Amino acid sequence: MWVYGDRSRTVKPRQALRALTATLREVESGTASGSDRHDRLTTAFLLASELAQGIADAEFRTKGLDEPSPTQEAAMALLVALARKLAASAWSAYTSVGPPSSAELMGLALSALPDEVEVKTPKGFALDAVYPEAYLKAAGERPWDSPPLVIGIRSAGAGLAALVAAVTNASKVVTLRPMGHPFHREVRVSDEVRRSLGAHLGPFAVVDEGPRRSGSSFAAVADLLEALGVAPERIVLLPSHAGDVGPEALPEHRTRWASATRRPASFDALIAEEPLAGWFEDLTGSVKFIEELSGGAWAVEDKEIPVHPGLERRKFRLTTEQGTYLAKFAGLGVSGEAKFARARTLARAGATPEPLGLRRGFLLEKWIEGERGPRADRAALVEHVGRYLGLRALAFPAVAGDGANLEDLAVMARMNVAELKGDAAADALPRPPARTKPRPIHVDGRLHRWEWLTLPDGRLIKTDALDHSAGHDLVGCQDVAWDVAGARVELDLDDDETAELCAIVARVCDRPIDEALLDFLDIAYPAFQAGLWTAARDAATPEQRPAIETQIARYVARLS
């Protein structure tokens, strides 16, 4: 099944450096303070991390291997300087931002920068609540016999390595890009890198988010070090969680992971020391009780709602004397800021809950009580959904690279249908329309019945509406026709209702729905969803599987 995707975007390093400089000036000018200033500093750090990753990857593509360069070293020097500022802010309760970084900014500005680089927003920072402060804590609290040589695994590892280096007085920082099959990655490095690693006599800190399904990126770096004669006890792994490697790990890598020295930099360890309640009390009042709703816990009382724990964001219900609130991870830096902006737009239109604030990557909103699923009559439902989708088409434009193109969707549909129904069914699928020019937007992508709340006064509210266009899946941003196809499936619209929905969307956003595109997406949408929920079933508990099986069957029926 093809479900997941890995997108990048092209940036011009000098433009990115100017934006980074402007953000740092804002931080150091005193216009913001406290946690708001810390959030802006985090944004600057993540921008610098992406830039360092993009520069290193550009040189990797040119040379076919990882090799140090003055430009990479200048980018890392800036990143380590910003990591020290982030540590100063975090450890001073946000009263300090540490020493200036003007010298490091100038050093990178005077370097030989490429015209363009490809950068990636790491999944951990945008979706999985991977926190820089957790790495500062994990590395800073470990006793090191001598300064480590830090190896960051790109993409996320570029910034994470700088954090570890900042608090360990690291002797050197290297970033590497594992390549190859996702479950069997390997690293390609120059002789200079090999000599540098082999000459280091102290400990090594290997840093990344994850591990996920295989842990092959961590394994690739550990394989390299062991091939260079580094004893296992000199290698310290700093992952983002304390769990095991995933089900696709090779047996020898699983064995090594179990015995390795690990220093997890987990969100749970971070909030154990700095409770989440304190992040929002200026907005909520004193928090009396916190209930975690992550991993599908919000649906535990309704066994008919299928959940995909791997796609669930960290979320918490906060109970205070002033009321009840929902805090959900929206993303650090620019990622979270964009989702917060979308939340405000949708709330002003009465479509979603009102966001009260974005604090350290978590979006806070009032808890809304309602009955799950739309309860309005069919005509009112179609009218409401049409206006909602039309608003999204009007307000949230995107660019083509932010999502899969039609050819990729066609390949995905063929692969998934072949696995579900056989090659003959896959061969009969329609090709994507040749003359269609989709207009990508930040689609909702999650129009399932249980994602709607009917309030006591009859109003319909959409939940989970902010980030499925920016997830880790293949689809990403698409034409609004993707959501029309989704509404047709998830809300069981008949042909007349779908035609009316198209007319309402077109009236609101002032552009018609392309009928040929919709015909194609009527197949691509259930093919994708069937693959997505098949992946969920494979990782589900026995109690979760019946609801997931029912959901898969609905999509397969649509492919007949």
Side-chain angles (χ1 to χ4, degrees):
M1 296 281 189
W2 189 5
V3 173
Y4 299 107
D6 187 20
R7 279 179 289 280
S8 61
R9 66 186 190 280
T10 301
V11 302
K12 297 181 182 299
R14 295 201 180 278
Q15 288 183 2
L17 194 55
R18 285 195 289 272
L20 170 59
T21 301
T23 303
L24 283 172
R25 284 176 179 163
E26 179 186 344
V27 167
E28 294 175 346
S29 69
T31 55
S33 61
S35 63
D36 290 339
R37 182 173 64 179
H38 186 80
D39 283 349
R40 296 303 293 153
L41 181 55
T42 300
T43 296
F45 174 79
L46 296 182
L47 290 172
S49 178
E50 289 183 355
L51 186 55
Q53 166 260 305
I55 290 169
D57 279 343
E59 295 187 7
F60 181 95
R61 282 190 293 272
T62 298
K63 300 174 182 177
L65 46 73
D66 274 310
E67 184 174 47
S69 73
T71 303
Q72 288 187 57
E73 290 172 359
M76 183 53 67
L78 173 60
L79 197 49
V80 172
L82 296 183
R84 292 193 177 106
K85 292 174 74 68
L86 205 58
S89 176
W91 293 346
S92 68
Y94 316 136
T95 61
S96 170
V97 291
S101 53
S102 52
E104 290 82 6
L105 280 167
M106 183 61 70
L108 184 55
L110 294 176
S111 298
L113 295 171
D115 292 335
E116 293 182 338
V117 296
E118 297 290 323
V119 302
K120 298 181 179 182
T121 299
K123 181 175 180 284
F125 297 143
L127 304 173
D128 294 339
V130 171
Y131 273 76
E133 296 86 350
Y135 282 82
L136 293 171
K137 173 180 168 60
E141 292 180 352
R142 186 187 191 280
W144 300 88
D145 295 334
S146 60
L149 190 156
V150 182
I151 302 175
I153 300 174
R154 300 195 302 272
S155 296
L160 300 178
L163 295 161
V164 173
V167 295
T168 61
N169 194 29
S171 62
K172 187 178 182 64
V173 184
V174 175
T175 71
L176 302 178
R177 168 65 73 186
M179 300 294 290
H181 189 282
F183 302 155
H184 309 288
R185 296 198 186 279
E186 60 181 20
V187 292
R188 300 199 295 268
V189 301
S190 68
D191 290 341
E192 182 179 351
V193 171
R194 290 180 181 275
R195 286 193 296 270
S196 176
L197 298 179
H200 180 68
L201 301 179
F204 290 82
V206 182
V207 193
D208 195 12
E209 60 183 359
R212 296 195 175 94
R213 290 187 61 82
S214 70
S216 65
S217 292
F218 273 109
V221 175
D223 287 344
L224 171 64
L225 293 177
E226 291 189 7
L228 293 172
V230 178
E233 58 267 22
R234 291 171 56 202
I235 303 172
V236 180
L237 307 180
L238 287 96
S240 60
H241 62 77
D244 201 356
V245 290
E248 303 295 340
L250 295 177
E252 59 269 29
H253 292 161
R254 186 178 302 279
T255 298
R256 180 169 58 199
W257 184 265
S259 62
T261 301
R262 284 178 276 153
R263 191 74 181 181
S266 71
F267 174 71
D268 294 299
L270 182 67
I271 61 173
E273 184 173 284
E274 188 180 350
L276 190 73
W279 296 15
F280 302 106
E281 285 190 335
D282 60 318
L283 298 174
T284 65
S286 179
V287 176
K288 298 163 57 178
F289 181 71
I290 296 181
E291 178 185 5
E292 181 157 12
L293 302 177
S294 310
W298 56 272
V300 70
E301 295 179 0
D302 190 339
K303 300 299 184 184
E304 294 185 0
I305 297 179
V307 295
H308 192 330
L311 298 183
E312 292 280 336
R313 311 291 178 253
R314 296 299 293 264
K315 55 177 74 73
F316 300 83
R317 179 161 50 192
L318 313 180
T319 301
T320 77
E321 291 183 355
Q322 298 180 18
T324 306
Y325 301 83
L326 176 68
K328 177 180 177 180
F329 186 73
L332 298 174
V334 173
S335 175
E337 292 164 6
K339 294 169 193 175
F340 185 44
R342 288 199 286 274
R344 287 186 291 186
T345 297
L346 293 171
R348 282 195 294 268
T352 61
E354 179 187 1
L356 303 178
L358 180 70
R359 190 68 53 79
R360 297 186 66 185
F362 271 82
L363 191 149
L364 182 74
E365 60 189 39
K366 284 283 285 186
W367 181 268
I368 294 180
E369 292 289 351
E371 191 174 359
R372 290 211 172 271
R375 306 296 172 182
D377 66 75
R378 299 295 291 183
L381 172 62
V382 171
E383 177 74 21
H384 182 90
V385 175
R387 289 181 175 276
Y388 170 67
L389 297 185
L391 170 63
R392 296 193 74 103
L394 198 62
F396 304 144
V399 297
D402 289 341
N405 59 39
L406 296 185
E407 286 298 329
D408 282 343
L409 292 179
V411 173
M412 173 276 297
R414 177 180 170 78
M415 289 177 62
N416 292 4
V417 170
E419 188 167 335
L420 291 163
K421 305 191 69 172
D423 289 340
D427 290 340
L429 293 180
R431 297 287 303 161
R435 297 182 180 179
T436 292
K437 293 184 178 180
R439 300 183 186 182
I441 66 165
H442 285 276
V443 293
D444 180 291
R446 189 79 173 176
L447 295 169
H448 305 68
R449 295 187 66 85
W450 60 84
E451 300 291 0
W452 300 86
L453 285 179
T454 300
L455 305 191
D457 62 6
R459 285 183 298 140
L460 195 58
I461 292 291
K462 182 65 178 62
T463 67
D464 200 8
L466 304 179
D467 58 7
H468 291 285
S469 63
H472 191 50
D473 60 54
L474 166 71
V475 176
C477 295
Q478 294 293 328
D479 191 279
V480 68
W482 178 268
D483 272 344
V484 172
R488 182 175 201 164
V489 172
E490 305 301 347
L491 303 176
D492 295 311
L493 304 184
D494 61 27
D495 289 346
D496 290 341
E497 290 170 330
T498 302
E500 179 63 15
L501 179 68
C502 289
I504 296 167
V505 173
R507 186 168 66 244
V508 173
C509 69
D510 197 27
R511 70 171 188 258
I513 301 298
D514 187 305
E515 293 184 8
L517 176 60
L518 182 58
D519 288 343
F520 169 70
L521 296 180
D522 277 338
I523 297 297
Y525 178 86
F528 169 75
Q529 290 289 336
L532 185 72
W533 288 101
T534 297
R537 179 193 61 194
D538 294 344
T541 65
E543 294 78 15
Q544 294 169 333
R545 284 179 184 163
I548 294 175
E549 292 283 8
T550 299
Q551 196 69 11
I552 295 170
R554 290 185 69 248
Y555 297 126
V556 173
R558 290 278 181 168
L559 297 171
S560 300

